[in-house]
């Protein structure tokens, strides 16, 4: 299995984290970001969106981090008798999907974008993202006051999808003080067997 | 089953369409948008994001259109022996998820937003959305040249999630001329048993 991505990308890390938690061997291929390798013709053959991560599992190519998480959880989670990552039950699937959407929308488009501006020099309204990001953190903290995991009573890909850009948000100059339930959730994630870190965490 | 939404909302329509295709009875509750009912305390109890659609199925409450599509497809699609809407296979699930992401990202954030500006007076860079939207249409048309359905060889919730804001894009003053494969896909969707329309289509 090959994973194309960037070491310092939160979206790449989501996939790495699940691979490590499921103890799956893979070959990591770092994108040559300076030469915009992800916009090259060769890479566009793998992913017409020109984005990473991309997973190659023999002849199967999957782009989009959430699609990759679902693929890995469903294909290999079951083999390990760990179907809590993406279970079968309609209600649990729906709750997980809600948080996958929050990861892409509220979390990435506030906390993630503030980080992109300060860390990578991207354009955008930093003050707005920081303000909106704080609202997201308050909401998450409130939700995690009453829930050990975001979507179900076990860790799922919802936790993996939401974790990186929340945990990295101080790189966007958004304080993580005063959110004890979020910190407790971080600890639960970090204590999972096979947990691996990324730069900045 | 109760569906809270707005008749002219593409995201609400996605859910309606699947309910009709699966011949599921439901009670539709139109949001009082003039009085911002979706931001009321009562509604925030159902959906802390203050958005619609929201599905209530007895005691289960699901927000986010994609989460609702997965819930309905998995809970009721199987009962009707129609598991092609959201199948079990890891690879098919991943392909469907890719297009669910495209529906939320590329499609909604270009074609959908251009429509929001012209139809509802929202703020935003119309010219940029129209330009980006045309790229999305070209990509979709190319993909549909070689595929009957977006994600698998049968209709899935990927088609349902992507269809509305593509089909409505002329309300954002983006022409649908010169995309014959997209029009053929529209026709295939519209010929599905139980298909229902929305205002503007």
């Amino acid at each position: 299995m090959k994973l194309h991505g960037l070491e310092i990308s939160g979206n790449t890390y989501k996939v790495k984290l699940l691979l490590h938690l499921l103890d799956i061997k893979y070959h990591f291929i770092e994108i040559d970001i300076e030469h915009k390798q992800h916009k090259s013709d060769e890479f566009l053959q793998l992913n017409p969106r020109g984005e990473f991560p991309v997973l190659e599992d023999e002849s199967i190519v999957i782009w989009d981090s959430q699609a990759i998480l679902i693929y890995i959880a469903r294909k290999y989670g079951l083999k390990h008798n760990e179907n809590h990552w993406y279970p079968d039950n309609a209600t649990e699937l729906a709750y997980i999907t809600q948080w996958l959407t929050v990861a892409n929308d509220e979390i990435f488009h506030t906390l993630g974008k503030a980080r992109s501006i300060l860390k990578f020099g991207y354009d955008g309204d930093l003050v707005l993202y920081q303000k909106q990001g704080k609202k997201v953190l308050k909401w998450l903290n409130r939700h995690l006051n009453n829930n050990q995991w975001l979507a179900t009573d076990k860790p799922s890909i919802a936790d993996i999808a939401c974790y990186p850009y929340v945990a990295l948000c101080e790189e966007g100059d958004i304080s993580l003080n005063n959110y004890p339930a979020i910190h407790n959730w971080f600890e639960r994630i970090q204590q999972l067997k096979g947990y691996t870190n990324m730069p900045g965490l």
Side-chain angles (χ1 to χ4, degrees), chain A:
Chain A
M1 197 181 300
K2 292 184 206 165
L3 175 63
H4 303 259
L6 203 64
E7 201 72 56
I8 52 168
S9 145
N11 282 325
T12 299
Y13 169 64
K14 294 173 189 179
V15 176
K16 278 192 160 186
L17 179 52
L18 184 59
L19 288 168
H20 282 258
L21 290 170
L22 287 172
D23 194 23
I24 297 169
K25 297 275 172 289
Y26 66 100
H27 178 55
F28 184 68
I29 301 164
E30 178 88 356
I31 302 273
D32 181 354
I33 195 81
E34 278 191 36
H35 294 95
K36 293 200 173 177
Q37 190 201 346
H38 54 302
K39 304 295 181 191
S40 68
D41 287 346
E42 195 185 356
F43 198 85
L44 293 174
Q45 291 290 319
L46 290 177
N47 181 4
R49 298 169 97 201
E51 293 178 359
F52 45 84
V54 171
L55 187 81
E56 289 188 82
D57 189 11
E58 295 182 357
S59 65
I60 294 165
V61 178
I62 316 280
W63 40 263
D64 178 57
S65 62
Q66 306 206 338
I68 299 172
L69 290 178
I70 288 176
Y71 176 79
I72 295 168
R74 187 46 65 98
K75 184 150 182 192
Y76 298 101
L78 294 178
K79 282 192 188 168
H80 290 68
N81 270 328
E82 293 189 25
N83 79 345
H84 56 88
W85 295 109
Y86 196 67
D88 261 326
N89 175 281
T91 309
E92 290 186 326
L93 285 182
Y95 291 157
I96 289 172
T97 307
Q98 291 178 342
W99 290 101
L100 295 180
T101 300
V102 170
N104 267 359
D105 284 357
E106 281 92 336
I107 292 176
F108 185 73
H109 284 289
T110 63
L111 306 175
K113 289 213 164 162
R115 174 179 180 256
S116 299
I117 292 171
L118 289 182
K119 195 169 170 76
F120 307 116
Y122 282 32
D123 285 335
D125 188 338
L126 178 63
V127 174
L128 179 70
Y129 294 143
Q130 290 173 333
K131 191 179 152 195
Q132 292 173 332
K134 282 177 197 167
K135 279 191 194 171
V136 176
L137 293 177
K138 276 188 190 171
W139 175 33
L140 273 181
N141 195 68
R142 211 164 48 234
H143 181 75
L144 288 164
N145 260 327
N146 303 310
N147 297 278
Q148 295 272 302
W149 304 100
L150 285 175
T152 68
D153 61 359
K154 291 195 177 143
S156 73
I157 59 170
D159 300 287
I160 292 181
C162 291
Y163 169 64
Y165 289 106
V166 176
L168 290 166
C169 77
E170 293 192 326
E171 293 191 341
D173 203 14
I174 300 170
S175 167
L176 272 169
N177 290 337
N178 303 317
Y179 305 110
I182 291 180
H183 282 280
N184 291 337
W185 173 63
F186 286 170
E187 266 184 41
R188 283 191 289 277
I189 292 173
Q190 289 158 6
Q191 282 164 6
L192 290 169
K193 193 183 164 198
Y195 176 83
T196 188
N197 241 323
M198 76 169 271
L201 288 186

